Amino acid sequence: MPYGNKPLHFGHIGGVFVPADAFARFLRDRIGAENVRFVSGTDCFGSPINEGYRKLKEAGEFEGSIADYVLANHERQKATLEAFQVSLDIYEGSGIGHAGDVHQMISDQFIERLHESGHLKLDSTLQFYDAEAGTFLNGRQVQGHCPVQGCKSEHAYADECDLGHQYAPVDLIAPVSTLTGTVPEMRPVENWYFDLPGFEDFLKGYVRELEADDEVRPVVTKAIAEFLAPPVIFVKNEHLEEYEAMAAELPPHEFRPAEGSKQSFEIEFASIGERDAARDALAAAGLRFRTSKTLVPFRITGNIEWGVRAPVIDGVEGLTVWCWPESLWAPISFTITINDEQGMPRTSWRDFWCSDDARVYQFIGQDNLYFYGVAQPALWEALRPGGLFAEGPDSQMRQTTLVANHHMLFGKKKASSSGAVKPPTGEELLEHYTPEQLRAHFLALGLDQKSVGFSPKPFDPDPAKRDDPRYADPVLKEGALLTNVFNRLARSCFYEAQKNFDGCMPLGAVTPEVRRRAFEALLDYEERMHKVELHRVMSVCDEFIRWSNKWWADGIKAAEASEDADARRQVLVDSFYLLRMATLLMHPIVPVGCEKICDYLSFDFGDFFSWNYDFDSNDELCPAIEIDAGAHRIHELPPRFDFFRKHESQYK
């Protein structure tokens, strides 16, 4: 869910949306569209939106309300996703229209159920207050250095840094108000907190199950496990004598001296409460320290005006829901919304989220694993027994499958809309590439394995490389498979049918070697898709398409040399069969061109892209009268036709 304060950049599209779309399209082909819900939407709330709106209003660059601002960005995001052929069943907003109304209802229900179950606590914590501006500061109106040990982020906000680490606002190092440039005060405010530390045993068991599953990406289990360590404070070695003088006054703890060249010693506590008491004592004594990643109470509500209204509980009014927890249950809201639009019963959301034969895949970036891999599983577990609507065991939400990708770098650097390195937007990329060229490239990057650089030549900061034709554009590598090899296979089949077979696709038995090769590709492809190993899916397709094209080229050359009409017919039977299989496999990756092939083949989309037919030959797609005649009529292909075109700028 991208924030509603900006357009989509290449990381949103290539790192999350295109991989999710390819998987959703595969599932629709494989198990039927009625069994799939592909949902997302604009995150309408949160401090980045408040801050973006404030800056534009003060600069005189936007007129209208903050709701108008979010809606304008939402429409721009939606248009970009459509341009990239992302086939969401619903892309709405957590505060827009019917989806917003449903989301408010779900938010009320979720928070009330957490309170009824005894997992919410009203706590008074210190929040940043700008005395010069006379206002409490939202998360993005405070910037400093992350206090989590080992994190070097200098883009840390009130209670989280840009790398996803969570901490108490009081721990932020060198805080500065973005409103006035002054050092803000700390003043107490009351909010509801979820008892996340109370689910430590559950989360440890949960991560053990994930670690035993070889289909779960290592980045998921590693990130979750990091937050399950005991509470630790890291104190600079220069303060050792001061610590020793006050150690007896601190809560019970274990001291560990600095090892090797480490600059800090460690003191470990049994609970987060004891760690916080020690932290306060160390801060009062002027000692420099950092804290470890560990489970801390998860904030549910906040104090900014622009947000989902929090329900009134125990007489506490005027709060809004912090954007992170409500964004976790927003996909449920979107599922209910799309089911409403399709006239389905309200309870039908449980078929997708609660049923034993349902599975929820969530495509996210690695920086968000704390929220989806730590906070969300505990929140789901906290609703036991009865689930979200307390309707019994059948409405208990199942834990989700996290498909977490590593960072997509811009060149060699991490790009962020709020950082120094500004990433190109989706619209800017489409000025130089076709959507299908970009989709194929994004899926081939292997983000499930490691962080990978995205280096589009038109955006190279070195003008010498950008304008030098000797430097190849790495983004076009996979596009060449489409515009050259796949195009050639498809056109060869059509033009041969038009020239020598009266505009018909000949039917009949496929050569056993061809059928065997196709079956191997199908099985390998399906296994890779099941594991969401999309770069390996691309490798399977690449190898199969190139093999198919060679089978055509070698076969037609031999048939023409021998002047054997039967051999000529057989190679076309084989090649149309290979074209069908290649088009089926590539459909989730480059849907528009594949559907164009299907259209010219004169087949029904539902039949052609369904995995419910056997794959012995193309005959099963045809009516009996055509099978008897041994030929299927296809549409005439114009001369020099491209199913997959290059971008116009690439023809210059």
Side-chain angles (χ1 to χ4, degrees), residues 89-154:
D89 291 303
I90 181 172
Y91 188 77
E92 285 299 335
S94 53
I96 297 173
H98 180 55
D101 295 339
V102 172
H103 188 55
Q104 179 67 65
M105 179 269 292
I106 293 295
S107 298
D108 290 344
Q109 185 67 25
F110 217 109
I111 294 171
E112 289 168 357
R113 285 282 292 127
L114 290 175
H115 184 260
E116 291 168 6
S117 302
H119 299 303
L120 288 189
K121 178 184 177 182
L122 189 65
D123 199 3
S124 178
T125 57
L126 296 175
Q127 301 290 332
F128 290 107
Y129 183 84
D130 189 323
E132 184 174 318
T135 183
F136 280 101
L137 301 174
N138 67 48
R140 292 298 174 104
Q141 291 174 335
V142 183
Q143 291 192 8
H145 304 311
C146 181
V148 173
Q149 177 68 10
C151 181
K152 298 180 180 180
S153 173
E154 297 183 1

Side-chain angles (χ1 to χ4, degrees), residues 382-565:
L383 297 184
R384 289 185 181 274
L388 179 55
F389 293 100
E391 294 172 320
D394 290 342
S395 66
Q396 185 63 46
M397 290 182 295
R398 296 169 59 81
Q399 296 294 346
T400 67
T401 299
L402 299 178
V403 183
N405 278 338
H406 290 266
H407 296 126
M408 185 186 293
L409 307 176
F410 186 39
K412 297 181 179 180
K413 298 181 180 179
K414 183 184 177 185
S416 169
S417 299
S418 57
V421 181
K422 300 298 182 185
T425 65
E427 296 103 314
E428 289 171 333
L429 288 175
L430 292 176
E431 294 174 2
H432 303 276
Y433 305 98
T434 68
E436 295 186 317
Q437 287 175 326
L438 289 165
R439 285 174 65 98
H441 181 65
F442 288 145
L443 295 176
L445 288 177
L447 294 172
D448 62 317
Q449 303 290 311
K450 61 182 180 180
S451 296
V452 181
F454 174 60
S455 303
K457 187 178 178 182
F459 295 89
D460 195 306
D462 184 347
K465 291 182 179 179
R466 190 169 60 238
D467 301 328
D468 191 335
R470 292 175 298 175
Y471 287 93
D473 188 341
V475 176
L476 296 179
K477 178 184 176 183
E478 294 76 22
L481 174 71
L482 304 174
T483 57
N484 295 342
V485 190
F486 199 8
N487 254 341
R488 190 181 307 127
L489 173 64
R491 287 189 302 217
S492 298
C493 290
F494 278 96
Y495 291 148
E496 172 65 14
Q498 290 170 197
K499 181 179 179 182
N500 294 307
F501 291 86
D502 193 30
C504 290
M505 176 179 75
L507 302 177
V510 176
T511 301
E513 170 64 9
V514 169
R515 183 173 169 276
R516 182 191 65 79
R517 189 62 182 252
F519 273 42
E520 288 176 353
L522 281 168
L523 291 169
D524 195 7
Y525 176 98
E526 185 178 44
E527 181 180 359
R528 301 304 182 187
M529 269 293 191
H530 170 70
K531 295 180 179 180
V532 202
E533 296 174 343
L534 298 177
H535 67 293
R536 290 195 168 95
V537 166
M538 283 296 301
S539 295
V540 171
C541 292
D542 185 292
E543 182 179 350
F544 181 70
I545 291 171
R546 294 183 189 279
W547 187 90
S548 300
N549 192 67
K550 188 175 186 303
W551 182 271
W552 156 260
D554 291 348
I556 196 64
K557 182 178 180 181
E560 288 177 341
S562 65
E563 298 183 353
D564 186 337

